Structures are given as C-alpha cells and as structure tokens.
Amino acid sequence: QVQLVESGGGLVQPGGSLRLSCAASGSIFSINAMDWYRQAPGKQRELVAGITRESSTIYAGTVKGRFTISRDNAKNTVYLQMNDLKSEDTAVYYCHAVISTGWNSPFYSYWGQGTQVTVSS
C-alpha cells in the first residue's frame, strides 16, 4: 500500500530554518496535490501549504513569505522550506497526498506519521 515517510523535523531557535521532506512510495500510479498540515496541542489541524502536480501553490497567511513548498514529481517527494521560524510555528507537521493506485482507480487521501517541529530558545 501507499506510504508517506517524513523527515527533517527537530528543535530550532526563533529565526532559524528547517526543511521538511516527505517521500511517497508503494503502489502509486499518480499523485495530485501534496500538502503540509500542522497541529499544535489543543488546536485543530490546519493547512500550512499545498502544491499541485503543475506546481501551483497555496500558503496559510501566517507562513506566507517565510515558507516555501516544492515537489519533485520524479521522486514523488514534497518539501517544505521553513525560514524565520517563530514560536507559533511549533506543532506536529503532517505530510498529506492525494494518490491514485491505478489508471482507472479513484484518488484517496494519505497521511504521514507526523514530525515534531519545536521553535524555542
């Protein structure tokens, strides 16, 4: 089955940078949107950034200008470059992708396991 493997989370000081990666593998025919969500304790999960197969992007207003999402279709991988990190960015970050496993198969949502990003002095 399809799996999403994330990497790049960790502890960083305010103003610092991190790059998250998420690689999709398994029985993949086509990937449409790939996205990053985050969820802080006691809060709902929110969309951080998304990117289509054609590289159209969308960002949450709170991260626009600081974060950059990109993807490598040949590698089935999505990245999130996070610059000028703030304490408010502290959350578990989840990779999400909409994937079909066959030419005439429906698309389904898949989620990564989540990776912790902590911004603190």
Side-chain angles (χ1 to χ4, degrees):
Q1 194 56 52
V2 173
Q3 51 195 337
L4 303 179
V5 180
E6 299 160 305
S7 62
L11 174 65
V12 66
Q13 291 69 47
S17 298
L18 284 174
R19 186 181 71 178
L20 306 183
S21 300
C22 173
S25 62
S27 184
I28 297 173
F29 179 77
S30 181
I31 303 178
N32 280 346
M34 301 187 82
D35 318 283
W36 289 97
Y37 287 74
R38 68 186 181 188
Q39 187 167 24
K43 300 182 67 177
Q44 293 190 333
R45 188 172 300 185
E46 64 173 344
L47 176 68
V48 177
I51 185 168
T52 68
R53 201 172 197 278
E54 299 76 29
S55 294
S56 295
T57 58
I58 187 171
Y59 296 93
T62 50
V63 308
K64 194 177 302 180
R66 299 188 295 122
F67 291 10
T68 302
I69 189 170
S70 61
R71 65 189 286 173
D72 186 333
N73 291 333
K75 296 180 179 180
N76 292 330
T77 299
V78 63
Y79 307 92
L80 185 67
Q81 178 66 47
M82 304 185 293
N83 297 326
D84 191 25
L85 283 160
K86 307 176 184 300
S87 60
E88 307 93 271
D89 297 316
T90 296
V92 178
Y93 284 69
Y94 296 91
C95 177
H96 169 261
V98 181
I99 298 172
S100 172
T101 59
W103 75 272
N104 202 30
S105 298
F107 284 82
Y108 293 100
S109 291
Y110 296 88
W111 293 90
Q113 78 286 355
T115 184
Q116 178 71 48
V117 172
T118 302
V119 185
S120 176
S121 298

